Structures are given as C-alpha cells and as structure tokens.
C-alpha cells in the first residue's frame, strides 16, 4: 500500500511548468509579431498613420486597389502598386523556377546511393554558403563585377573577346536589372532549398526504391512515380515559404538597383512600403500595402495547398465530410 507521501507526489501535476518554459516565446511573438500585425491593420484606416484623428475608413484600400476615393493621387497610387506588385511576382517567379529545378536535380543526385559521389559534404557546404552571406556584401560584389562602364570586369571581358561592342546596362536596363536580381536570389537560396529537399528524400522509405530497382524501373520512372509524389509535402513547404519570402523581397533589389532604377523597373512592393515607413511617403498607405500583401500571400498559400494536396489528404477530407453529413442526418432523424 502506497504511503501518504507517495500519493501526494503522484497527485502533483508538473504540466504547468511546461507553460513557464514556452512563455518567453509567446511574449516575444506577441510583442514583435502579433502587436505590429494588428497595429498595421489599425494604421491602414488612417490618412497618414501618424495622427489618429485622420480616420479615412476604406479610402486607402479604394485608392490602392481601384484608383478611386482619394482624388487625383488615387490613380498614381494604384498604378505604382500594380507596377511594384508585378515587378515582385516577375522577379520571384523568375528566380524560383530555376531554383527549384536545380535544387531538385541536385537533391536527387546527391541522395542516389548508386552513384557513390565523392566529396558530397564539400559540395553541399559550398552550395549552401551563399545563403549565409549578407545581402550588402553580395550586392557590392555583383555591382563591382557587373559595372556598366567598359572597365567593369564582366563588360571588359565580353568586349575584349569580341562578344559585345558596347557595355551592357546590367543595372539600369529593364530586363538586365531584373535578370540580375533573379540570378542573385537563385544563387543565394538554391543551396538552402537543396538541403530541404534532400532531407525530404532521405526521409522516404528506402524499401520502395529497392523494390523499384528489383522490378527494373529506370531512374526516371523512380523519380516520377515514387520520389515526386512522396516528396509533395516538402515541395509544398518549399513553394509556400519561397512565395512568402519572394513577396517580401527587399534587400537585394534595393541594394543592387537603387530606388528601383529608372522608371522603377525593379522596385518591389516592400521597397515601396519602406518609403512610406521612412517618412518620404504616406505611412497610412504603407500600412494598407502591407495589409493587401498579407491577404495576397494568404490567398496564394491557400491556392497552393489546394493545388498540391495529396490524394490521401483529399480522401481523408472527403471521408470526414461524409461522416459529418451522416451524423447531421442521424440527428435530424432522431
């Protein structure tokens, strides 16, 4: 028979101490994430975001999305937002497609046991290294290499071997500057994406690949029929996180193409938001742009989740819906 002390010890619940350990995270999250988010929503309903008596309701959203509600400046605000949003999507899609293709190819290559590649650890470190470099140092490096004068190293090389006659405008040209930003973003992030995909592939059941090899399946068939379908959750995570990061793109285009370049050819939405926050524009509109960007990211994220949903998830959702319907009908019958 247990003693009174033992019964008292068993009656003590230590679960509450777990909340003390996770409390710092929630405090930091609420202070640095949740409060700024709600405050951004709040400021989007004011004219300049600094005077709380300048309430304008939905006029900021009308001007931003439809070009109405704020007089003559509405159309200019709307055109700027559409242009910066278009630039953001062009640069993100242009760097993500080659990034995911290259990362997936390298991930499959490095995890293929039959190839027995030597020095895989060295190559993975080298490919991941651009991800840990600062954006300022990378921008300074590429600005030096791709200087638009004939003395720039890349232009000088191309002119010396007779490929071009005049220096290429890598920073001030429309597609040249966008291409530069796309290339740098891809170069910086493909190593991180490769590591994520490698972890997903290495987590798959190896017996599936062994059975496919015994059945005589080719490498292409194994990739299409086994690797890609089973890797869809990691692919979804990669696409969604890349989309969120792409919509928040700021440092590289801002450092490489100052203020978006001529006619704001490489200006992103977050660059335009930063102008409002810094005081050179309207803080209320900057908050409104942030809110709209928040909903754009949410809508695209939901679309991607639906598009890349696995057959098992679809079947489970359908079964759950059928169970709810049957339970509802049973309650009605009762």
């Amino acid at each position: 028979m247990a003693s009174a002390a033992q019964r008292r010890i068993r009656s003590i619940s230590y679960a509450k101490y777990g909340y003390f350990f996770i409390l710092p995270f929630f405090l930091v999250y609420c202070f640095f994430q949740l409060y700024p988010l709600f405050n951004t929503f709040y400021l989007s309903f004011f004219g300049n975001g600094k005077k709380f008596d300048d309430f304008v309701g939905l006029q900021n959203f009308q001007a931003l999305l439809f070009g109405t509600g704020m007089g003559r400046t509405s159309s200019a605000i709307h055109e700027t937002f559409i242009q910066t949003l278009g630039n953001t999507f062009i640069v993100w899609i242009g760097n993500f497609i080659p990034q995911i293709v290259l990362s997936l190819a390298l991930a499959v290559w490095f995890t293929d046991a039959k190839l027995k590649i030597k020095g895989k650890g060295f190559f993975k470190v080298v490919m991941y290294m651009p991800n840990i470099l600062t954006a300022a140092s990378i921008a300074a490096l590429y600005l030096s290499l791709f200087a638009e004068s004939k003395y720039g190293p890349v232009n000088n090389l191309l002119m010396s071997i007779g490929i071009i006659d005049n220096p290429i405008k890598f920073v001030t040209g429309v597609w040249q500057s966008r291409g530069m930003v796309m290339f740098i973003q891809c170069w910086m992030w493909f190593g991180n994406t490769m590591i994520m995909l490698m972890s997903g592939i290495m987590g798959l059941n190896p017996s599936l690949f062994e059975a496919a090899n015994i059945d005589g399946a080719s490498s292409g068939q194994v990739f299409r029929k086994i690797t890609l379908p089973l890797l869809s959750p990691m692919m979804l995570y990669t696409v969604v996180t890349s989309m969120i990061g792409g919509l928040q793109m700021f440092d590289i285009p801002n450092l490489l193409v100052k203020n978006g370049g001529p006619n704001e050819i490489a200006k992103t939405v977050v660059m335009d938001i930063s102008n409002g926050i810094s005081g050179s524009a309207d803080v209320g509109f900057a908050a409104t742009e942030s809110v709209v960007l928040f909903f754009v990211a949410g809508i695209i994220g939901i679309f991607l989740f639906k598009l890349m949903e696995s057959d098992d998830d679809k079947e489970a959702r359908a079964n759950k819906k059928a169970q709810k319907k049957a339970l509802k009908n049973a309650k009605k019958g009762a």
Side-chain angles (χ1 to χ4, degrees), residues 275-291:
N275 290 336
I277 295 174
S278 64
S280 59
D282 195 314
V283 178
F285 276 115
T288 306
E289 284 185 282
S290 300
V291 171

Side-chain angles (χ1 to χ4, degrees), residues 91-217:
V91 174
W92 168 58
I93 294 173
N95 88 78
F96 178 72
I97 292 177
Q99 178 191 147
I100 194 67
V101 171
L102 178 61
S103 301
L104 186 59
L106 289 171
V108 172
W109 188 44
F110 281 134
T111 53
D112 194 338
K114 295 184 295 183
L115 295 178
K116 297 181 180 179
I117 302 171
K118 295 182 179 180
K120 288 192 292 186
F122 169 77
F123 289 114
K124 286 187 284 187
V125 170
V126 170
M127 292 174 183
Y128 184 79
M129 195 172 292
N131 186 244
I132 63 177
L133 299 177
T134 62
S137 59
I138 292 174
L141 172 65
Y142 277 86
L143 280 173
S144 300
L145 290 174
F146 293 90
E148 298 186 354
S149 67
K150 63 180 180 179
Y151 301 107
V154 175
N155 273 321
N156 189 18
L157 176 63
L158 295 176
M159 293 175 69
S160 63
I161 60 180
I163 296 180
I164 59 174
D165 296 325
N166 298 310
I168 299 175
K169 297 180 178 179
F170 287 108
V171 177
T172 58
V174 177
W175 287 105
Q176 294 93 321
S177 60
R178 288 174 178 171
M180 285 278 292
V181 176
M182 293 176 192
F183 176 77
I184 294 174
Q185 289 289 135
C186 179
W187 176 71
M188 286 180 63
W189 290 99
F190 87 94
N192 179 73
T193 305
M194 179 192 70
I195 297 296
M196 296 298 298
L197 295 177
M198 283 182 63
S199 66
I201 294 174
M202 294 173 69
L204 302 179
N205 191 346
S207 62
L208 297 172
F209 298 97
E210 293 172 3
N213 291 330
I214 293 173
D215 291 338

